Amino acid sequence: MEFFFQQLINALQLGSFYALIAIGYSMVYGVLLLFNFAHGDVFMVGAYIGFFVSSALLGLNIFGALALPLSVTLSLVLVLTLIISMALNSIVGMLVERIGYRPLRDAPRASAAITGLMIGIILETGNLAILGPQRRSFPELIQSATINIAGVSFTNKKILIVFISILLTLALHQFVRHTKWGMAMRAMAYDYVVVPLMGISTNKIALMTFALGSALAAAAGILYGVAYPVLDPNMGILFGWKAFVAAILGGRGSILGAGLAGFLLGFIEIFVATIFPSTMRNLIAFGIILIILTFRPHGFFGEPFSAQLRL
Amino acid sequence: MLLTVENLSVSYGNIKALHGISFEVDQGEIVCIIGANGAGKSTTLRAISRMIPAETGSRILFQGEDLLEYPADKVVTDLGISHVPEGRRLFENLTINENLKLAAFARSDEDGIAADRERVFSIFPRLKERINQKAGTLSGGEQQMLAVGRAMMSARKLMLLDEPSMGLAPLLMMDVFSALKDINDEGTTILLVEQNARMALQFAQRGYVLETGLLVLEGPSQELLEDPEVKKAYLGG
C-alpha cells in the first residue's frame, strides 16, 4: 500500500510537468489554431532562465543580510525565481510569436508547424552554442525533508511541485473564465475573424496567449529543476512531445482538459512502469492514448469544430 | 460627407468581386445597398471594416481620414464604425453579457459603457432577461438583437448592417428595423445591405443597386421603389 501511494505521488509529480506544458500547447492551439512545436523548447529555456535567476539570487546573498533561517531564505528565492522567470519566459514566448508566427498568420498551417520545429531547433542549438554542452545543476531551493502522512512517507519537494502546478492551472483557468482578456481569448477560439470587429487587436490576444503559456512552461522548467536537478539543452524535446499529446487528449483550448490529461499521462507512464519492464513504458502509454483518441478524437473536453472559420 | 467610397475594388484570388464602385453616405442618413446574392454587398461592407483588403487605387474617406490606413480593430475604436456581419457571427460559446462586454473591450469610459448597456437593454428588453444565457441558445430574432446590441456597444458613429432581416419572421423583422430607426434617431448613421429590397428601401432614405460588382442605379428610396427595372428585378414585378 505504501508503495502504491508513493507511486501515486510520483505520477502526480510527473503529471505536473506534462500538465503545465500541455496547457501552453492547448491554449495556443485553441486561440490561434496553431501547433506551437517550439513549446517544449520554450519549457527548456524557462528552466535555464530559472537556473540563472535562482543562481543570481543566491549569489547576491541579499537575504543573508536579513539573517533569516536558511529554509525561509530558500523559499523566498524559490518564489522570486518563479515570478521573475515566468515574466522573462513570457517575453521569450511573445518573441516567438512576433518573430516566428505572426508573419505566417495567413500562410498554410504547415508552414507555421515547420517554423515551430525550426524555432525549437534554434533554441536547442543556440543554447548549446552559447552555454556549451555541459549540463547544469539546478541549485537546491528546497531542503529535502520527508513528510509522514498516515504511515506513508513523501518528500516535501514532490508535494510542493504538485501543489504549485495545480494552483497555477486553476489560477489560469480562473483568468480565462473571468477576465476580459480571457473572454477575448475564448471569443477568438470560437471565431477569430470577427474579433477585430469588436475593436480588439488579434495580435495582442495572440501575444497574451503565448505569454501565458510560456509563463507556465517556465514554472514547469523550474519545478523540473527542483525535482531532477540536471538541465540539458535537449530536455524539452521528449517532454514537449508528451505534453503535446496530453494537450490533444485534453481537447482543443481546454485548460482543465490539458491539465487533467497531463496528470493522466503521468499516471499511465508510472503505473505501466511498475507493472511492465520500464523499456515498454512509452510504448504502452502511447498505445493506451491511441486507443482513447480512437473513441474520443476531440479529446476529453474538446468539441467537434464549432468555430466558423470561413470569412 | 461622413463616408466617401471612391473606385473601390476587391478581389478574392482571381475573382473580382467589386469593380471600382463609388458611393457616399452623409451624416445621420440611412442608406441601403440592394442587390442579388453574390452581387458584392457583403464584400463592400467587409472592405469598409477592413476585414478584407481593398485593391490599390481604392479610396475610402471617413470624416476626411483615409480609412484604408487603419487596421480592422482601429476602424472600430478610432473611427467609430461598427459592423454587424453576415450571419450575425455571435460568440455562441459566450453569454449575452460576455458578448456585450467584449464589444466594449477597448473602451475605458465606464460611464459611457454603462449608459450604452442600458440603452441596448431598453431597446431589446429580451436580452436583459437572458443576460447569462449562452448566445448559441438564443432564437434567430434574439441573436439578431444581440448582434445589433453588440455593434451599439463597440461604436456609435456609423453602423454597417449586413442583411439584418435574414432568417427573421416578418413581425420580428419589423421590431429589429424599428429598433434600428431609434438608433439612427440617436445620431448613428446607418449603411445597410439587403436582399430584401422592399424592406430596405422602405427603411432607408437613399439606395444604391449593386449588380455583379458594379453600382448600376442610385437615388432616393421612393424613386427606386417606383423604378420599373428595380420593380422587375428586386421587388417581384
Side-chain angles (χ1 to χ4, degrees):
Chain A
M1 205 56 187
E2 172 157 11
F3 178 72
F4 171 78
F5 280 108
Q6 279 175 346
Q7 290 298 66
L8 190 69
I9 192 84
N10 286 339
L12 283 170
Q13 175 180 282
L14 185 62
S16 295
F17 307 133
Y18 293 152
L20 288 177
I21 307 169
I23 288 166
Y25 262 119
S26 187
M27 277 200 305
V28 167
Y29 178 42
V31 174
L32 295 162
L33 288 179
L34 169 86
F35 290 126
N36 172 19
F37 285 126
H39 193 56
D41 295 295
V42 171
F43 154 72
M44 176 274 291
V45 171
Y48 273 82
I49 290 176
F51 164 78
F52 286 111
V53 170
S54 57
S55 304
L57 286 173
L58 289 171
L60 280 175
N61 207 16
I62 40 171
F63 302 106
L66 298 172
L68 294 168
L70 183 60
S71 61
V72 177
T73 305
L74 289 180
S75 311
L76 272 174
V77 170
L78 177 64
V79 170
L80 283 176
T81 301
L82 277 170
I83 294 170
I84 296 170
S85 310
M86 285 169 78
L88 291 176
N89 212 37
S90 62
I91 296 172
V92 172
M94 288 193 278
L95 286 174
V96 167
E97 196 282 323
R98 182 68 190 84
I99 298 167
Y101 292 119
R102 189 181 300 179
L104 300 172
R105 206 51 64 73
D106 298 319
R109 295 290 85 180
S111 308
I114 288 166
T115 301
L117 293 170
M118 288 192 298
I119 293 169
I121 293 170
I122 290 169
L123 292 177
E124 288 156 25
T125 50
N127 180 332
L128 208 59
I130 296 167
L131 300 175
Q134 77 275 24
R135 295 172 156 207
R136 304 272 169 168
S137 293
F138 207 85
E140 180 103 13
L141 296 183
I142 298 174
Q143 289 177 301
S144 281
T146 312
I147 300 170
N148 209 302
I149 302 171
V152 188
S153 43
F154 305 105
T155 70
N156 57 344
K157 281 183 186 173
K158 287 178 183 168
I159 307 257
L160 193 74
I161 287 168
V162 174
F163 175 75
I164 292 178
S165 54
I166 291 176
L167 194 73
L168 287 173
T169 304
L170 294 179
L172 186 67
H173 177 72
Q174 290 302 315
F175 178 87
V176 171
R177 281 285 127 206
H178 297 296
T179 67
K180 98 177 182 176
W181 284 89
M183 210 160 66
M185 286 166 66
R186 284 184 287 141
M188 200 154 144
Y190 186 78
D191 188 348
Y192 69 87
V193 174
V194 290
V195 165
L197 296 186
M198 305 296 111
I200 302 170
S201 155
T202 49
N203 286 334
K204 277 190 195 157
I205 306 299
L207 285 174
M208 182 65 152
T209 307
F210 270 80
L212 288 171
S214 308
L216 255 59
I222 291 160
L223 297 178
Y224 177 93
V226 168
Y228 320 103
V230 178
L231 310 183
D232 81 90
N234 293 328
M235 64 187 268
I237 300 174
L238 196 54
F239 262 84
W241 285 115
K242 288 182 176 175
F244 169 62
V245 169
I248 297 298
L249 197 58
R252 171 176 170 256
S254 168
I255 287 167
L256 291 184
L260 284 175
F263 283 110
L264 179 73
L265 188 57
F267 277 97
I268 295 175
E269 276 196 35
I270 295 285
F271 283 98
V272 163
T274 55
I275 299 165
F276 300 98
S278 67
T279 45
M280 298 183 61
R281 189 163 87 163
N282 287 340
L283 182 68
I284 295 176
F286 286 101
I288 291 171
I289 285 164
L290 210 56
I291 292 167
I292 298 175
L293 283 179
T294 307
F295 293 103
R296 280 203 72 87
H298 305 291
F300 297 143
F301 294 99
E303 280 162 29
F305 270 87
S306 54
Q308 305 170 15
L309 299 170
R310 67 207 155 76
L311 184 69
Chain B
M1 277 303 146
L2 184 70
L3 177 77
T4 311
V5 174
E6 282 170 19
N7 192 29
L8 175 62
S9 299
V10 174
S11 293
Y12 296 107
N14 292 326
I15 301 157
K16 200 143 185 160
L18 289 178
H19 301 268
I21 63 168
S22 301
F23 63 95
E24 291 176 330
V25 180
D26 208 350
Q27 175 74 41
E29 269 192 310
I30 301 178
V31 175
C32 71
I33 300 175
I34 58 173
N37 208 358
K41 303 189 299 296
S42 297
T43 302
T44 306
L45 296 192
R46 284 178 191 153
I48 297 171
S49 61
R50 304 286 286 129
M51 289 172 82
I52 46 169
E55 285 181 11
T56 12
S58 307
R59 245 166 85 81
I60 304 179
L61 292 178
F62 185 77
Q63 292 187 315
E65 301 251 12
D66 182 358
L67 180 141
L68 295 175
E69 295 278 307
Y70 291 75
D73 57 302
K74 298 280 184 233
V75 168
V76 181
T77 57
D78 295 5
L79 296 180
I81 302 177
S82 61
H83 183 175
V84 179
E86 188 180 15
R88 301 167 195 129
R89 304 287 285 265
L90 297 170
F91 300 111
E92 297 188 3
N93 58 335
L94 306 184
T95 63
I96 292 182
N97 192 27
E98 289 176 321
N99 268 282
L100 293 175
K101 274 190 183 167
L102 199 67
F105 185 90
R107 292 173 61 181
S108 51
D109 55 325
E110 296 303 329
D111 294 345
I113 294 174
D116 281 344
R117 254 175 94 82
E118 281 316 304
R119 191 70 195 112
V120 169
F121 290 142
S122 72
I123 296 182
F124 303 116
R126 210 132 26 128
L127 294 181
K128 192 166 189 177
E129 291 164 24
R130 303 182 181 209
I131 186 154
N132 288 316
Q133 216 169 306
K134 290 257 163 84
T137 66
L138 300 178
S139 70
E142 291 161 348
Q143 291 201 347
Q144 189 62 57
M145 293 172 191
L146 180 54
V148 173
R150 202 168 63 162
M152 288 169 70
M153 296 301 294
S154 57
R156 292 298 287 270
K157 276 189 197 160
L158 171 65
M159 192 181 282
L160 310 173
L161 288 151
D162 199 330
E163 306 255 3
S165 77
M166 195 170 67
L168 297 188
L171 267 179
L172 263 175
M173 198 159 83
M174 300 304 279
D175 282 353
V176 167
F177 275 96
S178 93
L180 291 173
K181 188 82 193 73
D182 289 346
I183 294 166
N184 175 249
D185 287 342
E186 288 165 17
T188 303
T189 305
I190 290 180
L191 171 63
L192 87 155
V193 304
E194 263 293 350
Q195 272 194 71
N196 187 336
R198 187 182 303 278
M199 186 76 222
L201 288 172
Q202 281 166 359
F203 173 63
Q205 290 129 21
R206 289 196 301 120
Y208 293 87
V209 180
L210 190 62
E211 255 171 37
T212 55
L214 281 170
L215 285 175
V216 292
L217 257 179
E218 63 173 279
S221 296
Q222 207 50 45
E223 276 179 28
L224 290 178
L225 278 168
E226 285 157 15
D227 186 282
E229 287 297 314
V230 173
K231 269 188 173 166
K232 189 158 158 258
Y234 300 105
L235 302 174

